[in-house]
């Protein structure tokens, strides 16, 4: 199974909004609302930020939002802050009953 | 609060077997959730290895399926990973994590443990 496709990097200035895309197929992202997003600062374990496409776990700021259209899921971070700088990964359930991650996107806050 | 802790050798010889255990606290491993392994080679992205339910059901990454086995020890509230015939390509930080309800998201993660394959 191939990884979900994410842009290698995105950047934005404090206060701006950025969107990270996650492109899958009809066998994963497009057919299931089981898309999640993870934040991983350097040297730390991933942290769940969004689940089931658009739901935020308790404690995650509402600056983080998720959506999906067709085979593409998106994570939007509004009101960018320096502490948001990290790697971000999407994940999806697949029709083979497996899980899959995206290649990861490095977010730089300018 | 659910906590997971990986343990096992940090160095494995090529062609050998990698064995890791994940101890779970704050939740019963006999719950409705699934228990998974994710790995991350140095400087690279996350790769799903597989997950297991306490019933014994398992799902593995197709690219690793021939070399991976997962098991559960309900008496110790822990689960394990074995990867056989390892090579340098298996060098990675290995994370264990809880998959909420199965086919879903990973909500609690261990801190990760680095396993290096080298002679």
């Amino acid at each position: 199974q191939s990884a979900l496709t994410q842009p290698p990097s995105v950047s934005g200035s404090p206060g701006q909004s950025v969107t990270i895309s996650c492109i899958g197929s009809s066998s994963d992202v497009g057919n299931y609302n089981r898309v999640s997003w993870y934040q991983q600062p350097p040297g730390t374990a991933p942290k769940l930020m969004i689940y089931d496409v658009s739901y935020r776990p308790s404690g995650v700021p509402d600056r983080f939002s998720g959506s999906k259209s067709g085979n593409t899921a998106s994570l939007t971070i509004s009101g960018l802050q320096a502490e948001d700088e990290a790697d971000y990964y999407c994940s999806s359930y697949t029709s083979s009953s497996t899980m899959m991650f995206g290649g990861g996107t490095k977010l730089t806050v300018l | 609060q659910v906590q997971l802790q990986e343990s096992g050798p940090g160095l494995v010889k090529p062609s050998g077997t990698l064995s890791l255990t994940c101890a779970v606290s704050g939740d019963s491993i006999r719950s409705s959730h699934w228990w998974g392994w994710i790995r991350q080679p140095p400087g690279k992205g996350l790769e799903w290895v597989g997950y297991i339910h306490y019933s014994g059901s398992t799902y593995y990454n197709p690219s690793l399926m021939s070399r991976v086995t997962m098991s559960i020890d309900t008496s110790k509230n822990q689960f394990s990973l074995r990867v056989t015939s390892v090579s340098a390509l298996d060098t990675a930080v290995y994370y264990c994590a809880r998959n909420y309800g199965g086919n879903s998201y990973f909500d609690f993660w261990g801190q990760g443990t680095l396993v290096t394959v080298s002679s």
Side-chain angles (χ1 to χ4, degrees), chain A residues 1 34 36 38 40 43-48 50-52 87 89 91-93 96-104, chain B residues 38 40 44-49 51 59-63 95 99-100 102-112:
Chain A
Q1 56 185 24
R34 295 297 197 185
S36 51
Y38 303 86
Q40 187 181 35
T44 69
K47 174 188 175 184
L48 178 68
I50 295 288
Y51 67 94
D52 292 352
D87 293 329
Y89 295 89
S91 176
S92 176
Y93 178 69
S96 302
S97 301
T98 61
M99 302 294 296
M100 179 185 297
F101 284 97
Chain B
I38 301 97
Q40 186 172 34
K44 297 191 176 182
L46 301 173
E47 179 181 34
W48 178 76
V49 176
Y51 51 21
Y59 290 98
Y60 301 140
N61 187 319
S63 67
Y95 295 100
N99 189 275
Y100 189 88
N103 67 44
S104 185
Y105 50 92
F106 293 98
D107 55 354
F108 292 99
W109 294 65
Q111 65 184 24

Side-chain angles (χ1 to χ4, degrees), chain A residues 8-24:
Chain A
S9 63
V10 297
S11 62
S13 298
Q16 289 185 331
S17 293
V18 295
T19 296
I20 300 172
S21 60
C22 173
I23 303 173

Side-chain angles (χ1 to χ4, degrees), chain A residues 7-80:
Chain A
S9 63
V10 297
S11 62
S13 298
Q16 289 185 331
S17 293
V18 295
T19 296
I20 300 172
S21 60
C22 173
I23 303 173
S25 71
S26 58
S27 296
D28 37 71
V29 174
N31 202 33
Y32 302 95
N33 287 327
R34 295 297 197 185
V35 176
S36 51
W37 290 90
Y38 303 86
Q39 177 192 64
Q40 187 181 35
T44 69
K47 174 188 175 184
L48 178 68
M49 303 300 285
I50 295 288
Y51 67 94
D52 292 352
V53 175
S54 60
Y55 293 87
R56 279 187 311 276
S58 173
V60 173
D62 59 6
R63 302 185 294 103
F64 291 83
S65 62
S67 62
K68 188 184 84 167
S69 178
N71 295 337
T72 300
S74 299
L75 172 70
T76 297
I77 309 171
S78 58
L80 208 55

